[in-house]
Amino acid sequence: MGIEFLIEPLKYDFMVRALITAFLSGIMLSVLGSFTINKNMGFMADAMAHATLPIIAVGVFFGFSISSLGAPAAIIIALLLGFIIKNTNIGEDTSIGIVFSSFFALGFVLISVLDVSINLEDLLFGQILAVSTLDVFIIFGLSIVVLSTLFFFFKQILFYSFDPIGAQVRDLNVTFLNYLFLIILSLSIVGSLQTVGIVLVLSMLLIPAAAAKLVSQTFVKSIKISAFFGGVSSVAGLYLSYYFNLPSGPTMSLVASGIFGISFISKKLQLNRKLINS
Amino acid sequence: MTGITPLSHGSLTIKGLQPSEARSSIGYVPQNNQINWNFPLSVKQVVEMGLIRKNTFSPFSTKKNNKIVEESLSKVGLLERIDENINNLSGGQIQRVLLARTLTQGADILLLDEAFSAVDIGAEEDVMNIINDIKQDGKTILIATHDINNIKEKYDEVLCLNRHCCAFGDPSEVLTEGVIEEMYGSHNQILKEHRPGSHGNQNGN
Protein backbone atom coordinates (compact mmCIF):
# COMPACT_ATOMS: atom_id res chain seq x y z
CA MET A 1 0.00 0.00 0.00
CA GLY A 2 0.97 3.67 -0.12
CA ILE A 3 2.67 5.26 -3.08
CA GLU A 4 2.97 1.88 -4.82
CA PHE A 5 -0.80 1.65 -4.79
CA LEU A 6 -1.00 4.88 -6.78
CA ILE A 7 1.92 4.22 -9.13
CA GLU A 8 1.21 0.62 -10.11
CA PRO A 9 -1.66 1.31 -12.57
CA LEU A 10 0.42 4.03 -14.24
CA LYS A 11 2.70 1.35 -15.70
CA TYR A 12 0.04 0.87 -18.33
CA ASP A 13 -0.40 3.53 -21.00
CA PHE A 14 -4.13 2.85 -21.23
CA MET A 15 -4.48 3.61 -17.51
CA VAL A 16 -2.59 6.91 -17.85
CA ARG A 17 -4.84 7.93 -20.74
CA ALA A 18 -7.91 6.81 -18.79
CA LEU A 19 -6.87 8.75 -15.68
CA ILE A 20 -6.24 11.97 -17.61
CA THR A 21 -9.58 11.64 -19.44
CA ALA A 22 -11.51 10.76 -16.28
CA PHE A 23 -9.96 13.64 -14.34
CA LEU A 24 -10.68 16.21 -17.07
CA SER A 25 -14.25 14.94 -17.59
CA GLY A 26 -14.84 14.86 -13.86
CA ILE A 27 -13.76 18.47 -13.39
CA MET A 28 -15.49 19.83 -16.50
CA LEU A 29 -18.80 18.11 -15.77
CA SER A 30 -18.89 18.95 -12.09
CA VAL A 31 -18.09 22.65 -12.62
CA LEU A 32 -20.93 22.94 -15.14
CA GLY A 33 -23.05 20.81 -12.81
CA SER A 34 -23.11 23.64 -10.25
CA PHE A 35 -24.95 25.80 -12.78
CA THR A 36 -27.07 22.90 -14.02
CA ILE A 37 -28.52 21.95 -10.63
CA ASN A 38 -29.33 25.55 -9.70
CA LYS A 39 -30.92 26.16 -13.10
CA ASN A 40 -32.98 22.94 -12.68
CA MET A 41 -31.59 21.64 -15.98
CA GLY A 42 -30.93 18.02 -15.00
CA PHE A 43 -33.56 16.67 -17.38
CA MET A 44 -32.21 18.85 -20.18
CA ALA A 45 -28.73 17.43 -19.59
CA ASP A 46 -30.10 13.88 -19.65
CA ALA A 47 -31.84 14.63 -22.96
CA MET A 48 -28.59 16.01 -24.40
CA ALA A 49 -26.76 12.79 -23.56
CA HIS A 50 -29.44 10.54 -25.06
CA ALA A 51 -30.06 12.70 -28.13
CA THR A 52 -26.52 12.05 -29.38
CA LEU A 53 -27.34 8.49 -30.42
CA PRO A 54 -28.67 9.15 -33.98
CA ILE A 55 -25.82 11.61 -34.72
CA ILE A 56 -23.27 9.04 -33.55
CA ALA A 57 -25.00 6.30 -35.60
CA VAL A 58 -24.91 8.36 -38.81
CA GLY A 59 -21.35 9.58 -38.11
CA VAL A 60 -20.01 6.08 -37.52
CA PHE A 61 -21.80 4.93 -40.69
CA PHE A 62 -19.78 7.52 -42.63
CA GLY A 63 -16.54 6.40 -41.00
CA PHE A 64 -16.06 8.97 -38.19
CA SER A 65 -14.97 7.95 -34.70
CA ILE A 66 -17.33 8.53 -31.77
CA SER A 67 -15.05 11.05 -30.05
CA SER A 68 -14.55 13.15 -33.19
CA LEU A 69 -18.33 13.49 -33.50
CA GLY A 70 -18.61 15.01 -30.02
CA ALA A 71 -18.36 18.72 -30.80
CA PRO A 72 -20.65 18.88 -33.86
CA ALA A 73 -23.19 16.57 -32.19
CA ALA A 74 -23.18 18.74 -29.06
CA ILE A 75 -23.73 21.96 -30.98
CA ILE A 76 -26.55 20.51 -33.11
CA ILE A 77 -28.35 19.16 -30.03
CA ALA A 78 -27.92 22.34 -27.99
CA LEU A 79 -29.24 24.56 -30.78
CA LEU A 80 -32.13 22.21 -31.52
CA LEU A 81 -33.21 21.90 -27.88
CA GLY A 82 -32.89 25.64 -27.31
CA PHE A 83 -34.90 26.40 -30.46
CA ILE A 84 -37.72 23.96 -29.65
CA ILE A 85 -38.06 25.20 -26.05
CA LYS A 86 -38.12 28.84 -27.13
CA ASN A 87 -40.53 28.40 -30.00
CA THR A 88 -43.17 26.10 -28.54
CA ASN A 89 -45.55 26.78 -25.73
CA ILE A 90 -45.96 23.18 -24.63
CA GLY A 91 -43.69 23.56 -21.62
CA GLU A 92 -39.95 23.04 -21.25
CA ASP A 93 -40.13 19.55 -19.73
CA THR A 94 -42.49 18.33 -22.45
CA SER A 95 -40.32 19.74 -25.24
CA ILE A 96 -37.23 18.13 -23.75
CA GLY A 97 -39.09 14.82 -23.26
CA ILE A 98 -40.16 14.79 -26.92
CA VAL A 99 -36.62 15.46 -28.22
CA PHE A 100 -35.10 13.02 -25.70
CA SER A 101 -37.31 10.03 -26.52
CA SER A 102 -37.59 10.69 -30.26
CA PHE A 103 -33.83 11.03 -30.77
CA PHE A 104 -33.01 8.03 -28.60
CA ALA A 105 -35.52 5.90 -30.50
CA LEU A 106 -34.24 7.23 -33.84
CA GLY A 107 -30.70 6.32 -32.77
CA PHE A 108 -31.61 2.68 -32.16
CA VAL A 109 -33.54 2.50 -35.45
CA LEU A 110 -30.60 4.01 -37.38
CA ILE A 111 -28.11 1.63 -35.77
CA SER A 112 -30.30 -1.25 -36.94
CA VAL A 113 -31.11 0.10 -40.43
CA LEU A 114 -27.58 1.30 -41.24
CA ASP A 115 -26.15 -1.86 -39.70
CA VAL A 116 -23.55 0.21 -37.83
CA SER A 117 -21.10 -1.63 -35.60
CA ILE A 118 -21.50 0.26 -32.32
CA ASN A 119 -21.12 -1.50 -29.00
CA LEU A 120 -24.21 -0.19 -27.26
CA GLU A 121 -23.01 -1.20 -23.82
CA ASP A 122 -19.87 0.91 -24.30
CA LEU A 123 -21.99 3.84 -25.42
CA LEU A 124 -24.42 3.55 -22.51
CA PHE A 125 -21.89 2.93 -19.72
CA GLY A 126 -18.66 4.28 -21.23
CA GLN A 127 -15.41 2.53 -22.05
CA ILE A 128 -12.75 4.69 -20.56
CA LEU A 129 -10.03 2.05 -20.67
CA ALA A 130 -10.25 2.11 -24.47
CA VAL A 131 -9.56 5.83 -24.96
CA SER A 132 -6.90 6.63 -27.56
CA THR A 133 -4.27 9.38 -27.43
CA LEU A 134 -6.45 11.34 -29.88
CA ASP A 135 -9.39 11.00 -27.47
CA VAL A 136 -7.21 12.44 -24.67
CA PHE A 137 -6.33 15.44 -26.85
CA ILE A 138 -10.00 15.92 -27.80
CA ILE A 139 -11.19 15.89 -24.17
CA PHE A 140 -8.28 18.20 -23.22
CA GLY A 141 -9.29 20.64 -25.97
CA LEU A 142 -12.95 20.46 -24.97
CA SER A 143 -12.09 21.10 -21.31
CA ILE A 144 -10.06 24.19 -22.26
CA VAL A 145 -12.90 25.53 -24.45
CA VAL A 146 -15.67 24.80 -21.90
CA LEU A 147 -13.85 26.03 -18.79
CA SER A 148 -12.38 29.14 -20.41
CA THR A 149 -15.80 30.09 -21.86
CA LEU A 150 -17.29 29.72 -18.40
CA PHE A 151 -14.42 31.75 -16.92
CA PHE A 152 -14.83 34.70 -19.28
CA PHE A 153 -18.65 34.68 -19.31
CA PHE A 154 -19.01 33.70 -15.64
CA LYS A 155 -20.61 36.94 -14.45
CA GLN A 156 -22.89 37.31 -17.46
CA ILE A 157 -24.11 33.69 -17.32
CA LEU A 158 -24.59 33.93 -13.55
CA PHE A 159 -26.60 37.17 -13.87
CA TYR A 160 -28.74 35.67 -16.65
CA SER A 161 -29.29 32.45 -14.67
CA PHE A 162 -30.22 34.28 -11.46
CA ASP A 163 -32.36 37.07 -12.90
CA PRO A 164 -33.09 36.62 -16.63
CA ILE A 165 -35.34 39.68 -16.92
CA GLY A 166 -32.97 41.90 -14.94
CA ALA A 167 -30.13 40.77 -17.25
CA GLN A 168 -32.23 41.60 -20.30
CA VAL A 169 -33.04 45.05 -18.95
CA ARG A 170 -29.30 45.51 -18.28
CA ASP A 171 -28.94 44.96 -22.05
CA LEU A 172 -27.09 41.65 -21.86
CA ASN A 173 -27.59 39.45 -24.92
CA VAL A 174 -29.66 36.82 -23.11
CA THR A 175 -30.44 34.75 -26.22
CA PHE A 176 -26.70 34.45 -26.90
CA LEU A 177 -25.98 33.60 -23.25
CA ASN A 178 -28.72 30.96 -23.24
CA TYR A 179 -27.35 29.22 -26.35
CA LEU A 180 -23.77 29.65 -25.17
CA PHE A 181 -24.54 27.82 -21.91
CA LEU A 182 -26.47 25.10 -23.76
CA ILE A 183 -23.54 24.58 -26.14
CA ILE A 184 -20.85 24.32 -23.44
CA LEU A 185 -23.11 22.02 -21.39
CA SER A 186 -23.72 19.84 -24.42
CA LEU A 187 -20.00 19.84 -25.31
CA SER A 188 -19.04 18.67 -21.84
CA ILE A 189 -21.72 15.95 -21.83
CA VAL A 190 -21.03 14.62 -25.31
CA GLY A 191 -17.28 14.90 -24.77
CA SER A 192 -17.58 12.74 -21.67
CA LEU A 193 -19.63 9.94 -23.27
CA GLN A 194 -16.53 7.80 -23.78
CA THR A 195 -15.67 8.16 -20.09
CA VAL A 196 -18.91 7.34 -18.33
CA GLY A 197 -21.39 6.75 -21.13
CA ILE A 198 -24.85 8.12 -21.93
CA VAL A 199 -26.55 6.74 -18.82
CA LEU A 200 -23.94 7.70 -16.24
CA VAL A 201 -22.81 11.08 -17.56
CA LEU A 202 -25.67 12.64 -15.65
CA SER A 203 -24.38 11.28 -12.36
CA MET A 204 -20.96 12.89 -12.90
CA LEU A 205 -22.66 16.15 -13.87
CA LEU A 206 -25.14 16.37 -11.02
CA ILE A 207 -23.93 14.35 -8.03
CA PRO A 208 -20.63 16.16 -7.22
CA ALA A 209 -22.40 19.53 -7.68
CA ALA A 210 -25.30 18.49 -5.44
CA ALA A 211 -22.90 17.21 -2.76
CA ALA A 212 -20.91 20.47 -2.96
CA LYS A 213 -24.08 22.55 -2.59
CA LEU A 214 -24.88 20.68 0.61
CA VAL A 215 -21.57 21.52 2.25
CA SER A 216 -20.91 25.06 0.98
CA GLN A 217 -22.50 28.40 1.75
CA THR A 218 -21.73 30.35 -1.41
CA PHE A 219 -21.97 29.62 -5.11
CA VAL A 220 -18.31 30.21 -5.96
CA LYS A 221 -17.23 27.94 -3.11
CA SER A 222 -19.70 25.28 -4.27
CA ILE A 223 -18.14 25.33 -7.77
CA LYS A 224 -14.64 24.79 -6.31
CA ILE A 225 -15.81 21.97 -4.04
CA SER A 226 -17.80 20.41 -6.87
CA ALA A 227 -14.70 20.38 -9.09
CA PHE A 228 -12.76 18.74 -6.26
CA PHE A 229 -15.49 16.09 -5.71
CA GLY A 230 -15.74 15.50 -9.47
CA GLY A 231 -11.98 15.02 -9.85
CA VAL A 232 -11.75 12.76 -6.79
CA SER A 233 -14.76 10.63 -7.88
CA SER A 234 -13.28 10.06 -11.32
CA VAL A 235 -9.75 9.21 -10.22
CA ALA A 236 -10.76 7.20 -7.13
CA GLY A 237 -13.41 5.35 -9.16
CA LEU A 238 -10.85 4.44 -11.78
CA TYR A 239 -8.33 3.14 -9.19
CA LEU A 240 -11.06 1.09 -7.48
CA SER A 241 -12.19 -0.36 -10.79
CA TYR A 242 -8.55 -1.28 -11.56
CA TYR A 243 -7.85 -3.01 -8.24
CA PHE A 244 -11.23 -4.71 -7.78
CA ASN A 245 -11.84 -5.47 -11.46
CA LEU A 246 -15.06 -3.44 -11.58
CA PRO A 247 -16.65 -1.64 -14.56
CA SER A 248 -14.95 1.79 -14.52
CA GLY A 249 -17.81 4.19 -15.49
CA PRO A 250 -20.29 2.79 -12.96
CA THR A 251 -17.58 2.69 -10.23
CA MET A 252 -16.80 6.39 -10.79
CA SER A 253 -20.52 7.17 -10.49
CA LEU A 254 -20.79 5.12 -7.30
CA VAL A 255 -17.85 6.96 -5.71
CA ALA A 256 -19.63 10.25 -6.51
CA SER A 257 -22.80 8.83 -4.91
CA GLY A 258 -20.75 7.86 -1.83
CA ILE A 259 -19.40 11.41 -1.55
CA PHE A 260 -22.96 12.71 -1.81
CA GLY A 261 -24.06 10.32 0.97
CA ILE A 262 -21.26 11.52 3.26
CA SER A 263 -22.05 15.19 2.49
CA PHE A 264 -25.74 14.58 3.17
CA ILE A 265 -25.08 12.90 6.52
CA SER A 266 -22.54 15.54 7.62
CA LYS A 267 -25.00 18.31 6.71
CA LYS A 268 -27.73 16.60 8.75
CA LEU A 269 -25.38 16.16 11.71
CA GLN A 270 -24.33 19.79 11.46
CA LEU A 271 -27.98 20.93 11.47
CA ASN A 272 -28.77 18.69 14.45
CA ARG A 273 -25.77 20.10 16.36
CA LYS A 274 -26.99 23.63 15.63
CA LEU A 275 -30.48 22.73 16.89
CA ILE A 276 -29.07 21.25 20.10
CA ASN A 277 -26.81 24.25 20.72
CA SER A 278 -29.56 26.80 20.09
CA MET B 1 -40.52 50.83 -20.54
CA THR B 2 -37.69 48.33 -20.41
CA GLY B 3 -38.12 47.58 -24.10
CA ILE B 4 -38.62 43.87 -23.44
CA THR B 5 -42.33 43.72 -24.32
CA PRO B 6 -43.24 45.22 -27.69
CA LEU B 7 -45.80 48.04 -27.58
CA SER B 8 -49.29 46.94 -28.61
CA HIS B 9 -50.16 50.44 -29.76
CA GLY B 10 -49.11 54.04 -29.29
CA SER B 11 -45.53 55.15 -28.75
CA LEU B 12 -43.12 55.51 -25.85
CA THR B 13 -39.91 57.46 -25.59
CA ILE B 14 -37.57 57.93 -22.62
CA LYS B 15 -35.52 61.12 -22.81
CA GLY B 16 -36.30 61.12 -26.53
CA LEU B 17 -34.97 57.57 -27.00
CA GLN B 18 -36.73 54.30 -27.79
CA PRO B 19 -37.03 52.12 -24.64
CA SER B 20 -34.50 49.56 -25.93
CA GLU B 21 -31.98 52.40 -26.47
CA ALA B 22 -32.60 53.98 -23.07
CA ARG B 23 -31.85 50.92 -20.93
CA SER B 24 -28.79 52.52 -19.36
CA SER B 25 -31.10 55.14 -17.82
CA ILE B 26 -33.29 52.51 -16.19
CA GLY B 27 -32.63 50.60 -12.99
CA TYR B 28 -34.99 47.65 -12.71
CA VAL B 29 -36.15 45.80 -9.59
CA PRO B 30 -37.91 42.63 -10.80
CA GLN B 31 -40.79 40.80 -9.17
CA ASN B 32 -39.62 38.39 -6.51
CA ASN B 33 -40.90 35.33 -8.38
CA GLN B 34 -38.91 36.18 -11.51
CA ILE B 35 -35.64 35.48 -9.72
CA ASN B 36 -34.04 32.03 -9.45
CA TRP B 37 -33.46 31.79 -5.69
CA ASN B 38 -31.75 28.37 -6.04
CA PHE B 39 -28.43 30.13 -6.51
CA PRO B 40 -26.69 30.57 -3.13
CA LEU B 41 -25.31 34.01 -4.02
CA SER B 42 -23.85 36.50 -1.60
CA VAL B 43 -25.39 39.96 -1.16
CA LYS B 44 -22.26 41.41 -2.79
CA GLN B 45 -22.64 39.23 -5.89
CA VAL B 46 -26.26 40.30 -6.37
CA VAL B 47 -25.54 44.02 -5.94
CA GLU B 48 -22.52 43.79 -8.25
CA MET B 49 -24.80 42.50 -11.03
CA GLY B 50 -25.83 46.13 -11.53
CA LEU B 51 -22.31 46.73 -12.87
CA ILE B 52 -22.26 43.81 -15.32
CA ARG B 53 -22.30 44.78 -18.98
CA LYS B 54 -22.13 43.02 -22.35
CA ASN B 55 -18.36 43.45 -22.29
CA THR B 56 -17.79 42.11 -18.76
CA PHE B 57 -15.37 39.23 -19.31
CA SER B 58 -13.60 39.02 -15.97
CA PRO B 59 -14.96 36.84 -13.17
CA PHE B 60 -13.12 38.99 -10.62
CA SER B 61 -14.26 42.19 -8.93
CA THR B 62 -12.24 45.38 -9.30
CA LYS B 63 -11.48 47.67 -6.34
CA LYS B 64 -13.54 50.39 -8.01
CA ASN B 65 -16.57 48.10 -8.32
CA ASN B 66 -16.18 46.89 -4.73
CA LYS B 67 -16.30 50.51 -3.59
CA ILE B 68 -19.45 51.23 -5.62
CA VAL B 69 -21.11 48.08 -4.21
CA GLU B 70 -20.20 49.07 -0.63
CA GLU B 71 -21.51 52.61 -1.13
CA SER B 72 -24.80 51.34 -2.57
CA LEU B 73 -25.21 48.83 0.25
CA SER B 74 -24.57 51.45 2.91
CA LYS B 75 -27.27 53.66 1.31
CA VAL B 76 -29.82 50.88 1.90
CA GLY B 77 -28.39 50.09 5.36
CA LEU B 78 -27.11 46.60 4.60
CA LEU B 79 -23.36 47.03 4.38
CA GLU B 80 -22.79 44.73 7.34
CA ARG B 81 -24.60 41.91 5.47
CA ILE B 82 -22.38 42.16 2.36
CA ASP B 83 -21.05 38.59 2.58
CA GLU B 84 -24.31 36.99 3.71
CA ASN B 85 -26.14 34.45 1.55
CA ILE B 86 -29.06 36.30 -0.10
CA ASN B 87 -31.40 33.44 0.87
CA ASN B 88 -30.81 34.20 4.57
CA LEU B 89 -32.35 37.68 4.19
CA SER B 90 -35.97 38.68 4.82
CA GLY B 91 -38.29 39.88 2.03
CA GLY B 92 -37.73 43.54 2.92
CA GLN B 93 -33.95 43.13 3.07
CA ILE B 94 -33.98 41.43 -0.34
CA GLN B 95 -35.87 44.40 -1.80
CA ARG B 96 -33.23 46.70 -0.29
CA VAL B 97 -30.45 44.61 -1.86
CA LEU B 98 -32.18 44.81 -5.25
CA LEU B 99 -32.55 48.57 -4.79
CA ALA B 100 -28.82 48.76 -4.02
CA ARG B 101 -28.21 46.88 -7.28
CA THR B 102 -30.01 49.60 -9.25
CA LEU B 103 -28.04 52.28 -7.37
CA THR B 104 -24.73 50.83 -8.61
CA GLN B 105 -25.90 51.54 -12.16
CA GLY B 106 -26.34 55.24 -11.48
CA ALA B 107 -29.62 55.09 -13.43
CA ASP B 108 -31.91 58.15 -13.39
CA ILE B 109 -35.15 56.17 -13.51
CA LEU B 110 -35.89 53.30 -11.13
CA LEU B 111 -38.58 50.83 -12.11
CA LEU B 112 -39.89 48.67 -9.27
CA ASP B 113 -42.15 45.78 -10.25
CA GLU B 114 -44.45 44.75 -7.38
CA ALA B 115 -41.78 45.85 -4.93
CA PHE B 116 -43.91 45.21 -1.85
CA SER B 117 -45.56 41.90 -2.77
CA ALA B 118 -43.31 39.79 -0.50
CA VAL B 119 -42.73 42.17 2.41
CA ASP B 120 -44.56 42.87 5.65
CA ILE B 121 -45.83 46.32 6.63
CA GLY B 122 -42.81 47.22 8.78
CA ALA B 123 -40.35 46.24 6.07
CA GLU B 124 -42.45 48.07 3.48
CA GLU B 125 -42.00 51.25 5.49
CA ASP B 126 -38.23 50.74 5.64
CA VAL B 127 -38.08 50.24 1.86
CA MET B 128 -40.32 53.28 1.34
CA ASN B 129 -38.00 55.44 3.47
CA ILE B 130 -35.04 54.35 1.33
CA ILE B 131 -37.03 55.10 -1.83
CA ASN B 132 -37.76 58.59 -0.48
CA ASP B 133 -34.04 59.10 0.20
CA ILE B 134 -33.25 58.03 -3.37
CA LYS B 135 -35.91 60.45 -4.63
CA GLN B 136 -34.10 63.28 -2.86
CA ASP B 137 -31.09 62.52 -5.10
CA GLY B 138 -33.21 63.64 -8.08
CA LYS B 139 -34.13 60.21 -9.41
CA THR B 140 -37.52 59.32 -10.90
CA ILE B 141 -39.07 56.25 -9.26
CA LEU B 142 -41.88 54.27 -10.83
CA ILE B 143 -43.52 51.54 -8.78
CA ALA B 144 -45.97 49.01 -10.23
CA THR B 145 -48.32 47.80 -7.50
CA HIS B 146 -51.70 46.20 -6.94
CA ASP B 147 -51.88 47.48 -3.39
CA ILE B 148 -53.83 50.75 -3.22
CA ASN B 149 -53.60 51.17 0.57
CA ASN B 150 -52.08 54.47 1.66
CA ILE B 151 -51.35 55.43 -1.94
CA LYS B 152 -52.25 59.05 -1.22
CA GLU B 153 -49.56 59.30 1.48
CA LYS B 154 -46.87 57.36 -0.36
CA TYR B 155 -46.88 58.53 -3.96
CA ASP B 156 -46.64 61.92 -5.69
CA GLU B 157 -48.50 60.80 -8.79
CA VAL B 158 -50.50 57.75 -9.73
CA LEU B 159 -51.30 56.16 -13.10
CA CYS B 160 -54.30 53.83 -12.79
CA LEU B 161 -54.37 51.07 -15.39
CA ASN B 162 -56.82 48.35 -16.27
CA ARG B 163 -55.93 47.49 -19.85
CA HIS B 164 -56.18 51.23 -20.49
CA CYS B 165 -55.46 54.43 -18.62
CA CYS B 166 -58.25 54.96 -16.06
CA ALA B 167 -56.72 58.03 -14.41
CA PHE B 168 -53.46 59.93 -14.00
CA GLY B 169 -52.44 62.64 -11.55
CA ASP B 170 -52.23 63.52 -7.87
CA PRO B 171 -53.60 60.47 -6.02
CA SER B 172 -55.68 62.59 -3.64
CA GLU B 173 -57.48 64.05 -6.65
CA VAL B 174 -57.75 61.21 -9.19
CA LEU B 175 -58.13 58.17 -6.94
CA THR B 176 -61.89 58.41 -6.73
CA GLU B 177 -64.28 55.59 -5.94
CA GLY B 178 -65.26 55.44 -9.59
CA VAL B 179 -61.64 54.98 -10.70
CA ILE B 180 -61.04 52.29 -8.07
CA GLU B 181 -64.15 50.46 -9.22
CA GLU B 182 -62.97 50.81 -12.79
CA MET B 183 -59.69 49.14 -11.86
CA TYR B 184 -60.85 46.47 -9.47
CA GLY B 185 -64.64 46.35 -9.90
CA SER B 186 -66.82 44.52 -12.38
CA HIS B 187 -64.41 43.91 -15.24
CA ASN B 188 -66.97 42.57 -17.71
CA GLN B 189 -68.94 45.78 -17.83
CA ILE B 190 -65.83 47.95 -17.88
CA LEU B 191 -64.20 45.99 -20.70
CA LYS B 192 -67.34 46.19 -22.80
CA GLU B 193 -67.22 49.96 -22.60
CA HIS B 194 -63.48 50.56 -22.73
CA ARG B 195 -60.87 49.64 -25.29
CA PRO B 196 -57.17 50.53 -25.43
CA GLY B 197 -56.86 54.05 -26.75
CA SER B 198 -60.36 55.09 -25.69
CA HIS B 199 -58.78 57.41 -23.11
CA GLY B 200 -56.08 59.99 -23.71
CA ASN B 201 -55.33 61.32 -27.17
CA GLN B 202 -56.00 59.62 -30.49
CA ASN B 203 -52.52 58.05 -30.61
CA GLY B 204 -53.18 56.21 -27.39
CA ASN B 205 -50.37 58.05 -25.55
Side-chain angles (χ1 to χ4, degrees), chain B residues 12-201:
Chain B
L12 173 68
T13 54
I14 300 162
K15 295 180 180 175
L17 297 169
Q18 292 300 312
S20 57
E21 295 162 347
R23 282 177 180 162
S24 60
S25 309
I26 292 183
Y28 178 67
V29 176
Q31 284 189 42
N32 215 288
N33 60 7
Q34 288 170 344
I35 290 178
N36 181 349
W37 297 109
N38 286 336
F39 281 89
L41 300 183
S42 67
V43 168
K44 177 177 182 278
Q45 277 178 306
V46 175
V47 175
E48 206 183 351
M49 283 174 180
L51 297 164
I52 295 173
R53 291 185 174 78
K54 266 182 193 168
N55 58 357
T56 301
F57 296 117
S58 167
F60 306 112
S61 308
T62 61
K63 271 186 184 172
K64 187 182 157 202
N65 283 359
N66 284 341
K67 199 169 169 239
I68 296 171
V69 168
E70 284 169 14
E71 281 169 4
S72 301
L73 272 173
S74 69
K75 275 187 189 162
V76 300
L78 285 174
L79 184 57
E80 75 281 6
R81 310 292 292 269
I82 189 164
D83 293 319
E84 188 112 11
N85 185 328
I86 186 91
N87 292 308
N88 295 343
L89 268 51
S90 67
Q93 287 169 332
I94 286 173
Q95 286 304 326
R96 283 153 65 187
V97 170
L98 293 174
L99 268 175
R101 188 176 79 175
T102 65
L103 294 180
T104 60
Q105 289 174 232
D108 301 330
I109 303 166
L110 303 193
L111 203 56
L112 281 66
D113 199 355
E114 294 290 349
F116 306 117
S117 60
V119 298
D120 58 45
I121 295 171
E124 185 177 332
E125 245 184 68
D126 290 343
V127 176
M128 213 55 213
N129 288 336
I130 290 163
I131 288 172
N132 282 325
D133 288 344
I134 296 169
K135 199 179 80 180
Q136 302 305 319
D137 294 340
K139 295 186 192 294
T140 304
I141 299 157
L142 297 165
I143 301 175
T145 180
H146 280 86
D147 179 15
I148 56 165
N149 290 318
N150 308 320
I151 276 195
K152 289 173 190 173
E153 292 84 49
K154 282 184 199 162
Y155 302 104
D156 300 330
E157 283 180 316
V158 62
L159 171 65
C160 304
L161 296 170
N162 182 356
R163 294 198 178 195
H164 65 282
C165 170
C166 305
F168 174 66
D170 186 332
S172 56
E173 287 171 19
V174 301
L175 212 58
T176 60
E177 250 179 61
V179 168
I180 292 171
E181 197 182 318
E182 202 175 341
M183 286 192 295
Y184 296 97
S186 167
H187 284 207
N188 286 342
Q189 192 54 38
I190 291 161
L191 293 176
K192 267 181 208 166
E193 292 167 6
H194 295 91
R195 287 286 175 270
S198 66
H199 287 247
N201 64 29

Side-chain angles (χ1 to χ4, degrees), chain A residues 1 58 64 97 142 153 157 216 259 262 269 278:
Chain A
M1 266 310 257
V58 173
F64 296 100
L142 280 178
F153 285 92
I157 290 175
S216 52
I259 291 174
I262 294 166
L269 290 175
S278 63

Side-chain angles (χ1 to χ4, degrees), chain A residues 23-250:
Chain A
F23 183 70
L24 290 172
S25 291
I27 298 220
M28 180 169 63
L29 284 171
S30 52
V31 167
L32 275 173
S34 292
F35 278 91
T36 310
I37 61 166
N38 289 309
K39 281 164 78 76
N40 292 325
M41 286 178 69
F43 188 38
M44 164 79 91
D46 201 14
M48 282 175 171
H50 285 79
T52 51
L53 200 54
I55 297 169
I56 288 171
V58 173
V60 171
F61 178 73
F62 285 108
F64 296 100
S65 72
I66 291 177
S67 57
S68 66
L69 289 166
I75 292 167
I76 291 169
I77 291 159
L79 295 178
L80 187 71
L81 274 167
F83 179 81
I84 290 174
I85 289 166
K86 202 179 172 198
N87 293 284
T88 58
N89 57 357
I90 50 174
E92 193 167 316
D93 271 9
T94 313
S95 305
I96 295 168
I98 291 168
V99 173
F100 179 148
S101 51
S102 307
F103 270 62
F104 202 46
L106 179 66
F108 276 101
V109 169
L110 283 175
I111 286 170
S112 165
V113 170
L114 300 175
D115 198 18
V116 182
S117 60
I118 293 177
N119 185 336
L120 277 176
E121 199 178 322
D122 287 353
L123 208 57
L124 292 176
F125 302 109
Q127 184 47 282
I128 194 164
L129 299 180
V131 292
S132 64
T133 308
L134 177 67
D135 293 331
V136 176
F137 279 114
I138 288 174
I139 196 86
F140 182 73
L142 280 178
S143 305
I144 298 283
V145 169
V146 167
L147 294 176
S148 59
T149 304
L150 202 58
F151 180 86
F152 290 118
F153 285 92
F154 179 78
K155 282 194 172 174
Q156 291 194 49
I157 290 175
L158 185 59
F159 190 3
Y160 164 66
S161 307
F162 175 71
D163 177 9
I165 297 184
Q168 204 174 347
V169 176
R170 198 74 193 98
D171 217 15
L172 300 192
N173 191 340
V174 293
T175 307
F176 167 75
L177 292 173
N178 181 37
Y179 281 109
L180 183 71
F181 183 75
L182 288 178
I183 287 172
I184 58 172
L185 178 62
S186 194
L187 278 175
S188 69
I189 289 170
V190 179
S192 305
L193 287 182
Q194 186 108 23
T195 324
V196 277
I198 288 174
V199 176
L200 298 173
V201 73
L202 204 65
S203 65
M204 293 307 291
L205 181 77
L206 305 182
I207 298 175
K213 193 178 179 183
L214 281 177
V215 296
S216 52
Q217 268 290 308
T218 63
F219 184 61
V220 174
K221 206 177 260 180
S222 78
I223 292 177
K224 290 175 187 167
I225 296 175
S226 179
F228 175 72
F229 285 169
V232 167
S233 309
S234 305
V235 173
L238 206 52
Y239 270 97
L240 287 172
S241 74
Y242 174 83
Y243 280 110
F244 296 99
N245 198 23
L246 300 168
S248 43

